[in-house]
Amino acid sequence: MSPTPDVTNSWIRRLRPRPDAAVRLVCFPHAGGSATYYHPLAHSPSLTPAAEVLAVQYPGRQDRRREPLVDSLSLLADQAATALEPLADRPLVLFGHSMGATLAYEVARRLGARRPAGEPRWLLVSGRRAPSRFRGGTVHLRTDTELVEELRRVGGTDPAFLDDPELLETILPVVRNDYRAIEGYRWTPVPPLTCPITALVGDRDPQTTLDEAAAWKQHTSGAFELRDFAGGHFYLDAHRQGVADAVSRVLERVARPMETLGGNGR
């Protein structure tokens, strides 16, 4: 059983508390996901001890299930950025998968706009095309049966949940809401981030091609790296060690205060 995460505020869960950590890793879940999805990453033996691991808990799920769902990615980004500001006394690294990648990017933008040097030190994006690469989407308009079929197709949801009518009654409204949020998102051209970006992607991801993942390079003036793994949209479930290693390398670099990151001296 996963350990119960510490609650910092209604938005943030401390999956691996490290009061004296040199850097904080903040994880953003996928559509329909929750903070606990990142327990395996947080407790990976290969993840550097230099980092504290936090995860964002969106409204309307798990311990926030009685709160109204938010179907606007912009509003989610506004609220999540506000929740993270008090934790920016340590260098932040943001990591998001799927919808969480786009949300992490928008939070990074907001943190940078709110105060000098407020950007996170690094942005890791997984399983999501660059914001500038738009694809239309109508998954949120599908019937419940069609929505379940989509969840089976992309993976990431325990099949036992999808076969349980009572659990589906709880899951589907959250999934539909999150798809509405990400499918309604439109990127507005803005100056690129200055922090480095690392993009991770499965080489058979139906939602993100390698070319669409490589386009994240356009969203930073700093360093960029693309890492591909064998697998589909939830490749990271089969490559937990490899993902943890990739994240750990970034955290180790940020934890070294004298190292120049991405050629921008931050």
Side-chain angles (χ1 to χ4, degrees):
M1 180 179 294
S2 298
T4 302
D6 290 351
V7 178
T8 296
N9 58 45
S10 64
W11 283 85
I12 307 299
R13 303 292 173 270
R14 292 182 187 266
L15 301 186
R16 191 177 73 168
R18 291 285 191 277
D20 300 321
V23 58
R24 289 188 170 116
L25 173 68
V26 184
C27 303
F28 293 76
H30 55 278
S34 59
T36 53
Y37 176 76
Y38 287 105
H39 270 300
L41 175 62
H43 297 282
S44 171
S46 66
L47 196 68
T48 174
E52 179 172 53
V53 183
L54 316 176
V56 177
Q57 185 76 299
Y58 309 144
R61 63 213 72 202
Q62 292 188 332
D63 54 339
R64 301 188 71 186
R65 63 187 177 278
R66 292 186 175 85
E67 298 179 42
L69 294 162
V70 178
D71 64 1
S72 162
L73 201 82
S74 293
L75 182 56
L76 271 176
D78 289 342
Q79 296 175 347
T82 297
L84 279 175
E85 278 188 283
L87 298 168
D89 58 320
R90 304 283 173 85
L92 297 179
V93 171
L94 306 189
F95 175 86
H97 178 67
S98 196
M99 180 186 83
T102 304
L103 183 58
Y105 161 76
E106 287 293 340
V107 169
R109 284 185 50 208
R110 284 158 173 76
L111 291 176
R114 290 183 183 186
R115 64 184 180 86
E119 266 190 23
R121 298 295 180 87
W122 212 291
L123 175 64
L124 291 127
V125 291
S126 166
R128 186 66 188 174
R129 53 193 174 271
S132 53
R133 292 299 185 91
F134 174 74
R135 282 197 207 180
T138 58
V139 173
H140 71 281
L141 298 175
R142 296 180 187 177
T143 66
D144 286 354
T145 299
E146 292 169 336
L147 197 53
V148 170
E149 290 173 355
E150 176 68 13
L151 293 178
R152 292 189 192 279
R153 185 178 75 92
V154 300
T157 304
D158 188 334
F161 292 176
L162 301 179
D163 294 329
D164 187 317
E166 291 187 9
L167 285 175
L168 277 180
E169 198 171 314
T170 301
I171 294 170
L172 289 185
V174 176
V175 173
R176 189 181 301 282
N177 171 86
D178 290 357
Y179 268 99
R180 182 181 297 112
I182 190 60
E183 290 178 342
Y185 170 78
R186 300 292 183 273
W187 179 69
T188 302
V190 291
L193 298 172
T194 60
C195 67
I197 294 178
T198 297
L200 312 176
V201 65
D203 61 5
R204 298 187 303 279
D205 188 340
Q207 297 191 8
T208 306
T209 67
L210 293 178
D211 180 64
E212 289 172 325
W216 278 100
K217 183 176 183 179
Q218 303 167 13
H219 295 276
T220 179
S221 61
F224 175 77
E225 179 186 15
L226 175 65
R227 290 283 311 278
D228 65 289
F229 295 81
H233 190 56
F234 279 92
Y235 73 90
L236 63 178
D237 289 341
H239 295 279
R240 288 176 177 171
Q241 181 73 47
V243 172
D245 289 345
V247 173
S248 194
R249 283 193 291 272
V250 166
L251 295 171
E252 288 285 3
R253 291 191 66 185
V254 174
R256 298 173 196 154
M258 299 306 293
E259 183 168 357
T260 297
L261 301 180
N264 56 18
R266 297 181 73 242

